[in-house]
Amino acid sequence: MARVYVLHCAQSHVSFRLPEIEASAAYLGIEYELLPTPSRQDPKGAMDDLSRPFHLCRLADDDAAKALLHRCSCIRAIWELWAYADTYEQLHARNRASGMYLAWQSPDVSWKALMQGFHVALSEKRRLGLIESFAYMNFQGPIRMRGADLTWGVIEEYSRPTDIQSVEARGQAEMGDRDPRLVQLFLGRKIKDRSGAFPARDLIDVLSLKKRRYIGNTSMESEMSVIMANMALAGPGKLVYDPFAGTGSMLYACSILGAMSLGSDIDGRMLRGKNREHGIPGIRESAKQYGIQGRILDAVTFDMTQAPWRTPFRGDLGLFDAIVTDPPYGVRAGAKRLGKRNAELQRDEPFIMPDGMPSHMMPDYVPPTKPYHLSELVTDLLEYASALLNPGGRLVFWLPTMNEEKAETSIPTHAHFDLVAHSIQDFGRWSRRLITMQKRQGVSAQIPTHTSVPGRIRANDKPDEFRNKLLAPTQS
């Protein structure tokens, strides 16, 4: 019989919350149902209110809750719901009626109580008073502050105080259900796992850029890396590819979840790093730090538009289970691809040096590059993903947009892909949207070929290009 749980979620990057919960449940193969979460202001409640950190969710059992806690990085804690109410009088009545606490009254069950306030700090006096008000539950086992068999408690959810209210609100912290800012009271049992496995939320700190040995100015922050890996359904038995690997943030996140990963980049210096210790490339150095060096197959240097891939792979099935990437779109570094800016000067054969060696074989050779417009990059990425992904494989990538008035975001489409989710991270003048697409069954594709276009290619030859919009002077 399914039970109702309270998902306590982080309040950072809230637009990514529901897609990540859905992706985590899909990876785990568990059924879940988000329920309306009532409040004083809205007794019927809503299922998608992202302004609140709490969601009621129906899950099969504690095992499903533990699995979700270990997979979904937006979840801070999960509680089995015993009762919820607007007032403590109502909460006690509902708790007595449900009797869910009766199963824990054995003398052999140790316990502790945890009273929490959200947006309010509860004093020690108030905590003790709340615990004593539940004395009728009559837990007979010993109190144990560490390693207790049962952790039960109340969460008092308050609305976020405004700057004007903040000083006054601190003086109202003792009011409890008399406080007009109270949103809801939740009573329940905290779900704990003694297996020793990391909760997914902890991976954000494990992968923190502040602790990473090798980073660059384009390294993806750890929370977003974990979310992307989750959206890609990365895990043991999966092979993941990042065609714009840079310093490897996506490779680490996918591999720490158990996947085998492979990265490539047009700039080998990003993959290798500048300050290599004992000749170890930067990506391998960080992989060793996380103990996942055996899961990162390699990091190779090539231009995606001139990739060495050959099709078909194992018939028409593809090669990778997911492609996860942060394409260069011009905020910190403009996208480049191989070739002369002036296509008419592009050579089709190698240039031979006086000593008979081809110029591209010289140790100091730097291949020429030309601008790679975002619209062309996204089109190519979809085509490559169509050819390289297994049926059902996911493509997860960022798409930037300007936050102009009445501007509509154009989400790319492809005949071989279905849109799974898209979430926005707002930076003020511009935003980036995380796009998750899934390859349909029964389709096959070929690696696209590129032909040179006559004339000189310039980075600013397209006024509608995102980079040109972003760098354009603002009108005062």
Side-chain angles (χ1 to χ4, degrees):
M1 181 178 177
R3 305 177 189 174
V4 177
Y5 294 83
V6 181
L7 307 184
H8 181 184
C9 299
Q11 285 295 85
S12 59
H13 307 303
V14 294
S15 69
F16 299 83
R17 180 191 299 169
L18 299 185
E20 190 189 8
I21 292 174
E22 183 177 358
S24 299
Y27 173 81
L28 296 168
I30 62 176
E31 294 185 359
Y32 79 103
E33 180 185 4
L34 289 178
L35 305 173
T37 306
S39 66
R40 273 184 170 181
Q41 298 74 19
D42 182 10
K44 292 184 178 180
M47 292 183 291
D48 56 356
D49 185 357
L50 300 178
S51 65
R52 301 174 63 188
F54 303 104
H55 294 277
L56 298 187
C57 180
R58 183 174 283 115
L59 295 167
D61 51 30
D62 285 3
D63 289 338
K66 293 174 184 177
L68 197 59
L69 187 62
H70 287 303
R71 180 69 192 187
C72 190
S73 67
C74 71
I75 298 179
R76 290 186 176 275
I78 299 180
W79 296 72
E80 180 191 37
L81 182 66
W82 287 358
Y84 66 86
D86 298 338
T87 66
Y88 272 102
E89 181 180 0
Q90 189 180 51
L91 187 70
H92 287 302
R94 290 180 177 178
N95 185 37
R96 290 176 184 271
S98 71
M100 296 185 67
Y101 58 88
L102 296 175
W104 301 90
Q105 289 182 332
S106 169
D108 298 327
V109 176
S110 60
W111 62 277
K112 75 172 182 179
L114 186 61
M115 303 293 157
Q116 296 178 307
F118 186 78
H119 285 149
V120 159
L122 304 183
S123 68
E124 187 65 24
K125 178 181 178 181
R126 175 162 176 74
R127 293 173 194 268
L128 292 175
L130 288 175
I131 295 172
E132 291 174 357
S133 71
F134 288 91
Y136 61 86
M137 292 198 294
N138 193 28
F139 294 125
Q140 302 172 22
I143 297 174
R144 184 173 298 160
M145 301 310 295
R146 289 189 178 182
D149 300 317
L150 165 68
T151 298
W152 67 275
V154 173
I155 300 174
E156 294 186 355
E157 180 190 1
Y158 292 82
S159 60
R160 182 186 297 274
T162 64
D163 293 337
I164 298 176
Q165 295 173 329
S166 59
V167 175
E168 180 183 357
R170 283 196 291 268
Q172 295 178 334
E174 302 297 329
M175 293 183 65
D177 53 17
R178 293 177 295 162
D179 193 324
R181 295 178 301 114
L182 183 69
V183 177
Q184 192 63 278
L185 300 172
F186 298 100
L187 169 66
R189 172 178 62 90
K190 189 173 185 180
I191 302 302
K192 298 184 292 183
D193 188 357
R194 305 186 190 280
S195 67
F198 273 119
R201 190 72 189 167
D202 289 358
L203 295 179
I204 296 172
D205 182 63
V206 171
L207 294 172
S208 171
L209 296 181
K210 296 179 181 179
K211 302 176 182 179
R212 187 174 301 171
R213 298 193 65 179
Y214 170 56
I215 63 171
N217 62 347
T218 57
S219 295
M220 177 66 63
E221 61 267 34
S222 60
E223 185 166 4
M224 284 303 175
S225 299
V226 175
I227 290 174
M228 293 177 72
N230 254 332
M231 295 305 299
L233 309 183
K238 300 289 186 72
L239 180 58
V240 180
Y241 172 51
D242 182 357
F244 302 98
T247 59
S249 291
M250 262 59 77
L251 304 183
Y252 310 137
C254 291
S255 290
I256 210 166
L257 289 178
M260 306 296 286
S261 60
L262 173 70
S264 69
D265 202 286
I266 191 173
D267 189 350
R269 296 171 298 179
M270 295 295 292
L271 302 173
R272 294 187 293 269
K274 295 181 179 179
N275 302 317
R276 290 179 286 166
E277 294 185 6
H278 311 295
I280 299 176
I283 285 184
R284 188 178 298 174
E285 187 177 351
S286 290
K288 184 178 180 181
Q289 174 188 352
Y290 299 131
I292 54 174
Q293 59 269 39
R295 296 179 191 162
I296 296 182
L297 301 178
D298 209 342
V300 291
T301 303
F302 60 75
D303 175 6
M304 188 186 76
T305 66
Q306 305 294 328
W309 307 116
R310 298 292 183 267
T311 54
F313 298 106
R314 302 198 308 272
D316 292 328
L317 291 181
L319 179 63
F320 298 107
D321 297 296
I323 293 178
V324 189
T325 192
D326 178 27
Y329 38 79
V331 176
R332 292 173 289 186
K336 302 289 185 182
R337 59 180 171 178
L338 294 178
K340 293 279 191 180
R341 287 177 177 265
N342 189 343
E344 297 175 354
L345 300 179
Q346 181 67 51
R347 301 178 62 90
D348 294 326
E349 70 283 341
F351 180 81
I352 306 302
M353 303 297 289
D355 61 358
M357 177 180 290
S359 61
H360 66 275
M361 300 296 291
M362 302 291 290
D364 58 349
Y365 175 76
V366 177
T369 59
K370 57 186 178 183
Y372 196 6
H373 294 300
L374 180 63
S375 57
E376 298 169 355
L377 186 155
V378 172
T379 298
D380 288 345
L381 180 61
L382 287 169
E383 290 296 329
Y384 276 94
S386 176
L388 294 172
L389 282 174
N390 294 321
R394 289 195 171 190
L395 169 63
V396 182
F397 67 100
W398 289 102
L399 182 69
T401 55
M402 298 297 297
N403 290 341
E404 298 173 352
E405 186 177 2
K406 297 182 180 180
E408 295 183 359
T409 301
S410 178
I411 299 177
T413 60
H414 192 280
H416 295 172
F417 286 93
D418 293 315
L419 179 66
V420 174
H422 57 93
S423 303
I424 298 176
Q425 185 179 17
D426 195 336
F427 293 103
R429 190 183 173 204
W430 67 282
S431 300
R432 61 180 181 180
R433 186 183 297 266
L434 185 63
I435 309 291
T436 302
M437 310 180 84
Q438 186 161 308
K439 184 178 175 181
R440 295 173 181 167
Q441 301 287 336
V443 298
S444 61
Q446 297 290 320
I447 294 293
T449 58
H450 292 264
T451 57
S452 298
V453 179
R456 180 177 292 276
I457 299 175
R458 300 182 183 275
N460 61 351
D461 65 357
K462 289 189 177 183
D464 292 336
E465 177 73 8
F466 170 76
R467 178 180 173 85
N468 295 329
K469 288 183 178 181
L470 180 67
L471 300 179
T474 57
Q475 297 180 356
S476 58

